[in-house]
Amino acid sequence: MPRRLPLPFAILLGSALLPAAPAPAAAPAPAAAPAPATTPAAATGRIRLVVEHAVGSPPAAIIGMQIVVRGIVAPYVAGERVKVSFYRDGRKVQVRTVGLTPIGKGAGQFHLGFSSARAGLLQARAVHYATPAQAQFSGRSQTVRFASPNVSSGARGPAVRVLQSELNALHYVVPLDGLFDEATARAVIAYRKVAGLELVLFRLLARGAGSFHVRFRGDGRHVEADLSRQVLAEIEPRGRVLAIFTMSSGKPSTPTVVGHFRVYSKTPGVNAEGMVDSNYFIAGYAIHGYPEVPNYAASHGCLRVPIPNAASIFSWVRTGTPVDVYHEAGGGSHRINVHAGP
């Protein structure tokens, strides 16, 4: 009788002898999900605000004068806008929204004018609110002191600094210390002679009026004496005005000779007639300092200038420097007076 195998071995042998069942087919891999669309990040930005047409440091302006705030934004993104608010003494007084214009190198800019009707400390503040194209950013300008135009001798402060700076820009000889002293008063007198005594000083300065008109550009480095306005100017080559001074020329009974001359002699110091630092341009006619320099023609033919200005004029004028003396209304004299003096 054949020997029977234990059941476990029979099962094992039986399974080994039977053909293997086919392996189940592998399940297909799931399709990859599409990547979500990405939104471009908004550009970061920065802004710088620059105050123009204010004068001095710290900057100042006169009530009624217009300053300009220039905003520079980087990077420039087309279509973006900036809100600009003007604050006077911490209180918002005006709000404007402006677009930008490209200026190259990836930047854009805007310009805004502002004029204050009241005195106070002004500041511009700008903000760009976030958009899909550009993130939020902001900036502030320097503060500008708007001051009253009512200034007089002895005054000190921002209004005087503005006055001095504007006169200096037009080449009137004036200090820049913010004090309305005698030198500032002399510059104002010279300015009023050129611009017109009847007109308001600060309004004229704001318009750029009162510049000296050079008549003899071809004379190179020379002096011009305008008898009609009673001012004397030092002119550099190519007609550039260097300095303007108030002066007093010959009175009607002893008029200053008109024409084209050259300095032929220079005498430093004070002479017996009280003339200071004299520059003779023909016979006894000279440009010199003198104690009395009124707003009108009062000399005996010479061109009087204030004594504080005499030294600088004497230093600038050389022997041989051309001197052009003229009167727009035909005044003065073409005859040389041998007795001309201070």
Side-chain angles (χ1 to χ4, degrees):
M1 182 173 181
R3 185 180 176 185
R4 301 180 65 179
L5 294 174
L7 183 59
F9 287 98
I11 294 174
L12 288 173
L13 289 173
S15 61
L17 296 174
L18 292 174
T38 59
T39 302
T44 58
R46 62 186 184 277
I47 186 168
R48 182 165 63 95
L49 299 181
V50 179
V51 176
E52 300 176 345
H53 305 320
V55 301
S57 180
I62 296 300
I63 291 173
M65 292 177 65
Q66 180 173 269
I67 64 169
V68 173
V69 174
R70 180 189 182 205
I72 305 169
V73 174
Y76 166 74
V77 178
E80 296 301 292
R81 298 178 68 80
V82 175
K83 186 178 84 169
V84 182
S85 302
F86 291 92
Y87 289 79
R88 185 175 56 224
D89 294 332
R91 299 182 62 182
K92 188 184 296 184
V93 293
Q94 189 179 114
V95 179
R96 309 252 312 260
T97 301
V98 294
L100 303 170
T101 57
I103 57 174
K105 297 184 178 180
Q109 71 173 358
F110 64 83
H111 290 84
L112 280 179
F114 181 85
S115 178
S116 179
R118 298 172 58 183
L121 197 62
L122 183 105
Q123 185 180 55
R125 305 176 188 176
V127 60
H128 169 272
Y129 293 111
T131 67
Q134 197 164 30
Q136 180 169 321
F137 53 84
S138 62
R140 299 186 178 198
S141 73
Q142 279 184 288
T143 56
V144 180
R145 172 70 64 182
F146 274 84
S148 169
N150 298 320
V151 295
S152 58
S153 181
R156 183 191 295 274
V160 180
R161 285 196 291 108
V162 173
L163 172 63
Q164 292 174 332
S165 178
E166 295 290 334
L167 288 169
N168 180 70
L170 290 172
H171 309 291
Y172 291 89
V173 178
V174 63
L176 298 173
D177 56 4
L179 173 64
F180 199 122
D181 55 5
E182 292 184 3
T184 303
R186 289 194 297 271
V188 169
I189 290 170
Y191 177 83
R192 287 186 180 277
K193 287 179 175 181
V194 173
L197 289 168
E198 74 285 357
L199 299 174
V200 179
L201 180 63
F202 276 107
R203 291 180 183 174
L204 285 169
L205 286 167
R207 296 206 310 264
S211 58
F212 186 88
H213 176 63
V214 179
R215 270 71 172 178
F216 301 93
R217 292 178 178 270
D219 282 355
R221 187 180 185 278
H222 67 285
V223 173
E224 291 194 11
D226 183 349
L227 305 187
S228 53
R229 292 180 171 83
Q230 294 291 291
V231 292
L232 182 142
E234 296 172 346
I235 312 298
E236 293 282 11
R238 295 181 296 279
R240 185 176 70 85
V241 179
L242 176 66
I244 306 170
F245 306 90
T246 184
M247 74 172 190
S248 179
S249 64
K251 58 189 175 183
S253 60
T254 54
T256 300
V257 64
V258 297
H260 175 78
F261 313 100
R262 287 184 182 273
V263 173
Y264 71 90
S265 179
K266 293 169 62 70
T267 304
V270 184
N271 66 14
E273 297 183 272
M275 299 162 61
V276 180
D277 293 334
S278 303
N279 307 272
Y280 292 90
F281 54 90
I282 188 169
Y285 297 87
I287 302 167
H288 64 82
Y290 204 68
E292 297 175 6
V293 185
N295 297 339
Y296 51 87
S299 82
H300 294 88
C302 284
L303 301 176
R304 298 179 184 174
V305 296
I307 289 176
N309 299 138
S312 66
I313 295 173
F314 187 84
S315 176
W316 188 84
V317 171
R318 305 166 184 163
T319 301
T321 296
V323 177
D324 293 300
V325 184
Y326 58 90
H327 194 299
E328 291 186 346
S333 173
H334 292 278
R335 298 180 59 185
I336 297 174
N337 180 359
V338 295
H339 301 295

